[in-house]
Amino acid sequence: MKIDEWIQKNTFHHSAFEDLDKLVKEKEKQNLKISLCIPTLNEEKTIGKEIVLFNSELVTRYPLLDEIAVIDSGSTDNTLEVAQSFGADTYLASDILSDLDNKKGKGENLWKAIYQLEGDIIVYIDADIKNIHPRFVYGLLAPLIYNKKTKYVKAFYDRPLAFSEGIRPSGGGRVTEILIRPLFSLFFPELSAIIQPLSGEYAVSREVLEKLSFPIGYGVETAHLLDIYREYGMDAFAQTDLDQRVHRNQETISLGKMSFGILQTFLNRMKSYGMMTDIPELSTMLRQFQAHDDVFESIEQEIIEEERPPMITIPEYLEKRGNK
Amino acid sequence: MKDKISDILESIPKMEENLREIRDVLLTNLVMLGEIPSLTFSEQARMNFLVNRFNQSNLLNCSTDEVGNGLGILPGKIGDRNILLVAHLDTEYDEKMDHTIAILPNSVSGAGVADNALGLAVLASLPYILEKLEIELNSSLILMGSARSLGAGNLEGIRFFLENTNLNISTGLSVEGVRLGRISRSSVGMAKCEVHYWVPEGYDWTQFGAFGSIVTLNEFINRILEIPIPTRPATSIVFSSIESGRGFSKVSTEAELKFEIQSESEEMVEQLLNKINNIAVEIAAKTSSKVMVKELARRKPGGIDFSHPLVLNTMKIMETMKIKPRFTPSMSELSAFIDAGIPALTVGISNLETANKVVETVEIEPMYKGLAQLISLLLAIDRGVCDEN
């Protein structure tokens, strides 16, 4: 399929799915269960609003969601208490599949959600979105519910910059435009049709999720796209414009760490796909600099992109799902 | 034998407790309405959301009118009287302002949350709340988000509705986000004005006293302060905002002052306004400046008596709920009800943690009391307890 044709057929605006009565009816017709997972680490300022809005609009008013769960990496603030006070199911990631060795990272929370939550579809929403709105959930779920070929729906956002004459650049953040898009364009040109490959909001069907291995750190979204593309092709993807997303900006030094982790994941995938055979052992040490007056201080940080295997290979998961 | 109000008062504690269950519905409406920018004269998006909510609640006649009010009617069992519940749709903030609202465990913060996203959220949630509480009124309840209320809007929305509706309104209630305990039963006379001085092109900067528009405006303010203000009828002049200048080393060429004259007497407002107009012109002549005095809004004084059953029963309800009544005059929608001769009150729903700040923080806990108070008052009006003999 040509990229332009794919974009035409698989790119939506959330407003196309505003009829929630219709969406809920279709969900019920298919007898689907849907879970919302919010991975958290110190998000006490924004988590309450997300839960209140989703509970009121997408559980009480329109029963689109069957459960809302917060999976936390060990917040030191009151994230879990706030989430509980507003009625969410809350879990510490380390308490789920607790016999396994403990790992920390957003990917770990997303992976454990597959075990803990019941939905046939899981929608993941980051907890730091200040302008949260029900569209963030229904905009991602609707393409999955209405089209059985679609397995994975990614969010993208309008990021208005100064523009004139009706043309404006629309794309991802700095890491997307400087790292991911050039890499995809070189090796997987069709995937460059995904406007914001790193956005933290997406909905995925369980049948796909349980077969994916999960980097627990920065590379999780990139790995998902590569693995699903390889297994199912572009037909499995859709993307929805959710308008603006207001969140805190990251410093460049943090984006450097993120890029380092993503590159590890990408290169490891290239190796496992047999697309690059002569890659030497990759270093896991990132060196960055910070300046104090005239002195440049070197900071070294080890970033290891560990991966969890597909959930379907975990005996406890098979037992839990098999007993149903 | 118990009177009609006693039944209502007895039901309040249970009602207050039950209202905790609708917290998420109220807070969601507060966020979703409050995050839609709604500057005076640009309220359409917020109005559309509100009317959509009315539609979802199956209200009748969900509609807008030519000035942009948003309306819906919850029909009563008998429908022999119409109660109009109103909250203004507009704010002072344009779309460039960050409208993001935050919900914390005990409070909600954001621009315009108290004035008046919370009042609107109550209107949007009320049909759902009444259904959950299994309350069905005999009277029809007209819910209205009023457009063009603030500043230069001059209550155009509510005035337009009251002048043009065929419905006979028996009682009016204006809902404001804050403060809980507020009872506004009267309106003071008011004139809201803007004075603009500017230096014309070709101004002679060498002449004596050529200091630019800031000094001119300062002279104007000093002269206003020299006007004797009576204590009876209670009168005051409030300087609200001032704007001038572009930075260092540049003499200002324009200056603007916004102020309000408030008085219990309409004649006093008129007299003061005339004096201030004369001062403005005199100073402009002395300094070779140009001046424009613009009257943005006017209110007549009036209201219902303290002894009106609507006031007395509201106090009884508050007393039962241990809410301390605060009597404050109002210049909002209440004035339009007064002008139309309709008995009306303004009540508040919650408390404000931060006063006079752009980002307003309102407490969640008092909202249950605020809602219980409003619903009890509706029941009292519905049962005729608040009628004058």
Side-chain angles (χ1 to χ4, degrees):
Chain A
M1 189 190 295
K2 285 185 180 165
I3 290 178
D4 286 348
E5 191 187 333
W6 181 89
I7 291 173
Q8 198 72 29
K9 281 174 68 178
N10 294 279
T11 302
F12 304 97
H13 188 265
H14 66 84
S15 58
F17 309 120
E18 275 172 354
D19 187 344
L20 294 186
D21 270 330
K22 184 178 160 197
L23 189 60
V24 169
K25 270 182 200 148
E26 186 58 34
K27 174 213 163 188
E28 284 167 354
K29 194 170 129 195
Q30 294 180 36
N31 200 22
L32 287 172
K33 237 181 173 187
I34 300 176
S35 303
L36 167 66
C37 170
I38 308 175
T40 55
L41 178 64
N42 295 330
E43 309 286 1
E44 66 178 3
K45 288 188 179 155
T46 45
I47 190 69
K49 179 176 167 186
E50 289 205 4
I51 293 165
V52 165
L53 258 74
F54 293 145
N55 229 334
S56 168
E57 290 297 296
L58 303 177
V59 177
T60 307
R61 196 180 284 269
Y62 299 102
L64 187 63
L65 296 175
D66 297 284
E67 63 180 331
I68 297 177
V70 169
I71 300 189
D72 188 72
S73 303
S75 292
T76 51
D77 67 3
N78 293 316
T79 299
L80 285 180
E81 290 81 356
V82 174
Q84 267 167 5
S85 74
F86 286 110
D89 299 331
T90 56
Y91 306 95
L92 257 181
S94 55
D95 290 344
I96 302 171
L97 292 169
S98 54
D99 289 345
L100 302 181
D101 58 323
N102 193 18
K103 297 182 193 299
K104 272 201 172 182
K106 183 183 158 190
E108 176 81 350
N109 300 15
L110 307 181
W111 183 70
K112 286 187 168 175
I114 306 168
Y115 173 83
Q116 188 63 43
L117 307 188
E118 298 293 329
D120 304 302
I121 296 171
I122 298 180
V123 54
Y124 296 103
I125 302 286
D126 276 353
D128 66 340
I129 306 170
K130 288 184 180 172
N131 63 328
I132 197 72
H133 185 279
R135 68 175 186 267
F136 283 78
V137 170
Y138 66 72
L140 296 174
L141 285 172
L144 272 175
I145 293 172
Y146 288 134
N147 183 356
K148 286 194 174 151
K149 276 189 185 171
T150 304
K151 309 287 182 197
Y152 185 103
V153 185
K154 194 87 176 163
F156 70 100
Y157 303 93
D158 194 10
R159 298 179 185 223
L161 304 170
F163 63 93
S164 61
E165 293 172 16
I167 298 169
R168 62 179 191 267
S170 183
R174 285 167 283 177
V175 178
T176 292
E177 297 307 322
I178 291 167
L179 180 71
I180 300 294
R181 192 171 303 287
L183 279 176
F184 281 179
S185 299
L186 283 169
F187 296 101
F188 305 95
E190 284 189 326
L191 276 179
S192 64
I194 309 278
I195 294 172
Q196 281 174 20
L198 296 182
S199 78
E201 286 69 53
Y202 39 96
V204 199
S205 66
R206 177 176 291 273
E207 57 168 303
V208 168
L209 269 179
E210 63 187 10
K211 291 177 194 140
L212 294 174
S213 60
F214 272 64
I216 61 161
Y218 299 108
V220 63
E221 283 88 10
T222 310
H224 282 172
L225 293 179
L226 293 173
D227 291 348
I228 294 171
Y229 174 67
R230 197 172 157 81
E231 185 66 30
Y232 304 94
M234 285 304 281
D235 270 349
F237 293 111
Q239 57 188 349
T240 305
D241 182 353
L242 299 180
D243 288 341
Q244 277 195 305
R245 181 191 197 278
V246 181
H247 61 114
R248 56 175 180 257
N249 259 328
Q250 296 203 55
E251 290 176 13
T252 307
I253 202 157
S254 304
L255 299 182
K257 288 176 201 164
M258 187 176 174
S259 301
F260 187 74
I262 289 172
L263 260 178
Q264 283 184 40
T265 300
F266 187 86
L267 292 172
N268 284 331
R269 285 290 184 283
M270 295 296 284
K271 202 171 172 181
S272 68
Y273 297 162
M275 291 175 74
M276 277 186 186
T277 47
D278 292 332
I279 300 175
E281 178 115 0
L282 297 174
S283 164
T284 54
M285 200 63 76
L286 173 68
R287 176 175 291 119
Q288 294 175 304
F289 289 91
Q290 63 183 23
H292 299 288
D293 301 323
D294 292 336
V295 182
F296 284 84
E297 184 190 351
S298 161
I299 304 166
E300 284 191 354
Q301 190 172 347
E302 187 165 39
I303 297 170
I304 304 171
E305 279 292 306
E306 287 185 277
E307 291 202 17
R308 288 292 194 185
M311 187 56 83
I312 204 161
T313 65
I314 303 293
E316 290 92 330
Y317 177 74
L318 291 174
E319 192 183 338
K320 187 180 176 194
R321 300 298 297 178
N323 286 344
K324 280 194 166 270
Chain B
M1 196 176 124
K2 282 198 278 187
D3 58 15
K4 289 178 186 169
I5 189 75
S6 302
D7 284 347
I8 297 169
L9 299 179
E10 279 171 20
S11 70
I12 289 176
K14 193 174 174 210
M15 187 197 298
E16 206 181 318
E17 205 45 48
N18 290 340
L19 281 166
R20 290 177 184 275
E21 286 171 26
I22 58 82
R23 176 193 61 185
D24 289 3
V25 170
L26 180 67
L27 295 185
T28 298
N29 280 327
L30 171 53
V31 168
M32 293 180 82
L33 281 157
E35 289 190 343
I36 302 170
S38 192
L39 186 67
T40 307
F41 298 107
S42 305
E43 304 100 338
Q44 191 176 349
R46 194 176 277 199
M47 182 274 294
N48 284 342
F49 182 89
L50 183 69
V51 172
N52 195 27
R53 277 294 197 240
F54 291 160
N55 263 316
Q56 287 167 349
S57 299
N58 298 317
L59 298 196
L60 301 181
N61 298 77
C62 300
S63 57
T64 184
D65 56 28
E66 60 197 83
V67 292
N69 295 313
L71 290 138
I73 299 177
L74 182 64
K77 275 189 288 190
I78 300 172
D80 57 343
R81 73 167 80 206
N82 298 303
I83 305 168
L84 175 57
L85 205 59
V86 63
H88 66 84
L89 285 162
D90 51 344
T91 69
E92 294 172 339
Y93 310 120
D94 66 19
E95 59 191 1
K96 288 178 198 152
M97 163 74 72
D98 180 3
H99 278 70
T100 307
I101 292 174
I103 297 181
L104 297 175
N106 302 314
S107 61
V108 182
S109 302
V113 160
D115 187 18
N116 190 25
L118 179 55
L120 276 177
V122 169
L123 254 62
S125 311
L126 199 59
Y128 177 84
I129 294 172
L130 293 176
E131 191 186 329
K132 286 285 155 199
L133 296 178
E134 296 177 347
I135 292 174
E136 214 177 333
L137 301 176
N138 289 324
S139 316
S140 293
L141 194 58
I142 305 165
L143 301 176
M144 176 171 140
S146 58
R148 304 181 190 180
S149 173
L150 304 173
N154 198 16
L155 303 178
E156 191 181 343
I158 178 85
R159 287 192 202 283
F160 176 86
F161 177 76
L162 292 176
E163 280 164 16
N164 292 285
T165 183
N166 296 324
L167 299 166
N168 185 20
I169 311 294
S170 73
T171 313
L173 286 177
S174 169
V175 185
E176 293 279 346
V178 294
R179 295 181 176 257
L180 180 63
R182 169 182 184 173
I183 304 180
S184 299
R185 60 172 184 88
S186 63
S187 168
V188 290
M190 183 273 284
K192 201 173 273 191
C193 303
E194 191 176 273
V195 170
H196 199 105
Y197 276 105
W198 66 97
V199 177
E201 278 180 41
Y203 180 75
D204 178 8
W205 291 101
T206 60
Q207 73 166 311
F208 179 72
F211 295 116
S213 56
I214 291 176
V215 176
T216 307
L217 191 62
N218 182 52
E219 173 65 10
F220 174 68
I221 293 169
N222 286 339
R223 290 286 302 277
I224 292 178
L225 292 172
E226 286 169 11
I227 300 173
I229 304 291
T231 48
R232 280 176 193 277
T235 302
S236 66
I237 298 173
V238 179
F239 297 105
S240 309
S241 81
I242 192 162
E243 209 174 307
S244 185
R246 287 180 295 148
F248 288 113
S249 309
K250 292 179 184 116
V251 178
S252 61
T253 56
E254 289 186 47
E256 186 186 88
L257 173 74
K258 289 190 168 83
F259 66 94
E260 273 180 34
I261 304 165
Q262 300 173 353
S263 176
E264 288 172 351
S265 152
E266 193 178 3
E267 290 73 30
M268 182 55 64
V269 173
E270 194 60 40
Q271 274 179 33
L272 285 173
L273 193 56
N274 282 336
K275 276 187 190 168
I276 290 172
N277 262 314
N278 290 336
I279 291 170
V281 173
E282 184 191 330
I283 290 173
K286 267 191 194 166
T287 56
S288 303
S289 305
K290 282 188 179 176
V291 68
M292 184 178 68
V293 182
K294 199 168 161 190
E295 188 180 320
L296 300 173
R298 183 73 83 101
R299 307 275 188 278
K300 285 183 193 167
I304 53 175
D305 289 340
F306 187 83
S307 58
H308 192 287
L310 185 58
V311 179
L312 296 179
N313 284 299
T314 304
M315 286 173 66
K316 270 189 195 171
I317 290 166
M318 287 187 175
E319 192 183 326
T320 305
M321 301 179 74
K322 297 188 169 50
I323 300 170
K324 192 178 170 194
R326 294 188 188 102
F327 285 91
T328 52
S330 169
M331 280 181 251
S332 65
E333 273 56 24
L334 186 69
S335 304
F337 284 116
I338 292 167
D339 292 349
I342 298 169
L345 287 182
T346 302
V347 292
I349 299 297
S350 183
N351 296 329
L352 191 64
E353 282 182 7
T354 47
N356 297 325
K357 285 190 177 171
V358 170
V359 174
E360 300 162 342
T361 300
V362 292
E363 297 169 5
I364 294 174
E365 183 60 29
M367 291 179 192
Y368 309 118
K369 266 194 193 309
L371 282 171
Q373 158 213 252
L374 179 68
I375 294 165
S376 305
L377 185 52
L378 281 174
L379 286 169
I381 296 166
D382 185 53
R383 294 181 192 178
V385 179
C386 299
D387 293 346
E388 258 186 327
N389 287 330

